[in-house]
Amino acid sequence: IWVAEAFGEFWGFQESYWSWFSGLLDNCLYPVITFRLIQALCFPQGLGFWMGWVCKSLLCVIFSMPNVFFVNMVGHGLAGAFAVVILPFIILIINAVLINPGDPRVLLERIPSEEMDWGHFLNILYWNVRYAG
């Protein structure tokens, strides 16, 4: 919407169409990747064109079933997955705050510039912001 408002209807349509197209191609890759993995593990000699086509079609149907029939179950499953993912962070926060609080003044200490290992710092900084955006 913002692209159409900023650049006009033509570029708004282009942005919308190509976003949809890239999402379509991205979602088409998952059954193919899954099929190739299963084929490499279970059938190293290959399955042939038609059997491969049937298997990929079945994988597409299997992958789309949760979205078609089990929308509520998918929502509850994602909530459960969120709980499983967030639990270690909650445990670490409880450990840091209640069990082993340490000294928070350490966070405000500065290392003098001449004692700083700039190569190590820049290496960590590079790898932490390399994929940001």
Side-chain angles (χ1 to χ4, degrees), residues 29-119:
L29 289 176
Y30 296 123
V32 174
I33 291 171
T34 305
F35 170 74
R36 288 201 177 169
L37 176 67
I38 292 171
Q39 182 180 4
L41 293 175
C42 300
F43 307 102
Q45 72 279 5
L47 288 175
F49 175 78
W50 289 109
M51 190 59 145
W53 188 87
V54 169
C55 290
K56 291 175 202 171
S57 299
L58 286 174
L59 283 172
C60 287
V61 169
I62 291 169
F63 284 165
S64 64
M65 284 296 154
N67 292 327
V68 174
F69 295 109
F70 306 110
V71 173
N72 289 334
M73 189 184 301
V74 169
H76 295 303
L78 289 175
F82 171 75
V84 169
V85 168
I86 202 71
L87 187 63
F89 294 101
I90 292 172
I91 292 171
L92 286 173
I93 289 170
I94 290 171
N95 182 35
V97 172
L98 300 177
I99 299 172
N100 189 13
D103 186 11
R105 291 178 291 178
V106 176
L107 299 173
L108 300 175
E109 291 179 0
R110 287 191 56 163
I111 298 174
S113 181
E114 54 274 352
E115 293 179 21
M116 181 74 168
D117 184 2
W118 289 103

Side-chain angles (χ1 to χ4, degrees), residues 120-131:
H120 184 68
F121 172 74
L122 291 173
N123 187 27
I124 291 173
L125 185 67
Y126 171 75
W127 286 107
N128 281 329
V129 299
R130 181 173 176 197
Y131 299 107

